[in-house]
Amino acid sequence: MATPNPLDGFEVDPASIRRTGHDLQRPECILAEPDGSLWAADARGGVMHIRPDGTQKLIVQEERSDFASADGEVSRFTKGTLPNGLAFARNGDILISNFGTDRLEIMTRETGETRVLHDTLAGKPIGKVNFVLRDTKDRIWLTVSTTIPNWMEAAGSLRHDGFVALADEKGLRIVADGFAFTNEIRLDAKEEWLYVVETTGMKITRLRVQPDGSLTHRETFGPASHGAFIDGIAFDSYGNLWGTHVMIDRVFALTPQGDLRILLDDDHGSRAGRELLAAFAQGQARPEHMIACGGTIAPWMASITFGGPDLRNVYIGSLRGTDIPWFRSPVAGLPMAHWNEGRSR
């Protein structure tokens, strides 16, 4: 008989949510290490290292104040340096997909020295670099949401100019395109399928990974539409794919069969959320519709990260939060490529 899904009957009790970190700026993506360390993207130009004892240190090459001193909410989320997706390089340094500077960067974890790995593709600006993922073969997978400089403009209507690129010994190349605002990506446990969030497509697409890194057998996984914008995703060890609905702030999971379960709802059918979705359906969503949305737990929920010694702590990244909420899961997360490489320090 099939093993029962550990998520059967599970919902997150808001009263059980704890918090870590303080005075963070745009902690969109979070990396966890076995020793309990967390590394959160920070709009001052790098990452915040939150140590197991709760102390924290900002790691940047040059601290920036663009985010904190912006003259409006739209400028705050579209201009300046905006470290977004994070991944550990094999040597422990941090790969940063910078949503503000439109480039893939690598930063030393001790001193913040940063260099650009990729900012062009085929001789043209690469576009809005959103997320980065390293696999066990040391290949780098990169998502670009759109080629429009102002991502809020691109997110306000349905465009299919997003793509997934792969960097390996052959260089950087596009391996799949035509996505509606490409966001986070994840590989399954055997790295046989790549799962791609299409934020404005409101769905998750998966593609089979071939030995050379090419992608085939493109198909929708789960509902044809979530009826909400999707941002981050992460697998647990059972095979459930967890994720967030950004702006319509919810945590969800898709079972291995593709069934959608809402695990945490911090929107509760809000008027602002309904108006945003209605405007988007008419192709008329504007930044003010987006700015009006957001719950109180992790405003503009953006990512899901499993951590803790048993990988059962679930951390929620956000675009507008200043700390990191977390709760306990009934099932461990799927270890990422760096988990067993012994780089914690």
Side-chain angles (χ1 to χ4, degrees), residues 158-321:
L158 193 61
R159 297 176 54 89
H160 292 85
D161 61 343
F163 60 84
V164 176
L166 176 64
D168 57 12
E169 70 280 358
K170 299 177 183 177
L172 181 68
R173 63 192 183 280
I174 294 175
V175 287
D177 58 12
F179 297 106
F181 208 91
T182 335
N183 210 308
E184 289 202 13
I185 50 176
R186 296 290 179 184
L187 292 157
D188 63 6
K190 295 182 179 180
E191 298 189 343
E192 294 177 338
W193 290 88
L194 181 74
Y195 290 72
V196 182
V197 168
E198 297 193 56
T199 295
T200 55
M202 300 186 183
K203 66 179 181 178
I204 294 173
T205 296
R206 71 175 185 176
L207 305 97
R208 184 173 289 278
V209 181
Q210 301 301 321
D212 64 353
S214 59
L215 300 174
T216 62
H217 298 81
R218 183 169 177 163
E219 63 185 28
T220 298
F221 176 71
S225 175
H226 283 228
F229 302 120
I230 311 167
D231 196 323
I233 51 174
F235 276 104
D236 67 28
S237 57
Y238 183 83
N240 299 300
L241 184 61
W242 296 50
T244 60
H245 289 153
V246 65
M247 302 181 193
I248 312 299
D249 284 350
R250 296 187 296 218
V251 174
F252 69 85
L254 294 174
T255 69
Q257 295 75 34
D259 297 326
L260 174 65
R261 302 183 181 184
I262 302 300
L263 305 181
L264 175 64
D265 185 351
D266 197 30
D267 179 74
H268 308 290
S270 71
R271 178 178 177 179
R274 296 196 308 271
E275 289 179 348
L276 169 62
L277 294 175
F280 179 80
Q282 299 297 320
Q284 297 176 353
R286 299 186 300 275
E288 50 264 39
H289 289 114
M290 303 175 195
I291 296 296
C293 293
T296 60
I297 295 172
W300 286 14
M301 291 183 182
S303 64
I304 288 288
T305 300
F306 287 92
D310 59 1
L311 277 170
R312 288 180 55 195
N313 292 352
V314 180
Y315 301 95
I316 306 175
S318 67
L319 293 172
R320 301 174 75 177

Side-chain angles (χ1 to χ4, degrees), residues 30-38 234-238 242 304-315 326-340:
I30 303 159
L31 294 177
E33 293 186 289
D35 71 348
S37 289
L38 299 177
F235 276 104
D236 67 28
S237 57
Y238 183 83
W242 296 50
I304 288 288
T305 300
F306 287 92
D310 59 1
L311 277 170
R312 288 180 55 195
N313 292 352
V314 180
Y315 301 95
W326 65 279
F327 58 88
R328 294 285 287 169
S329 164
V331 58
L334 179 69
M336 295 184 66
H338 69 268
W339 194 255
N340 297 310

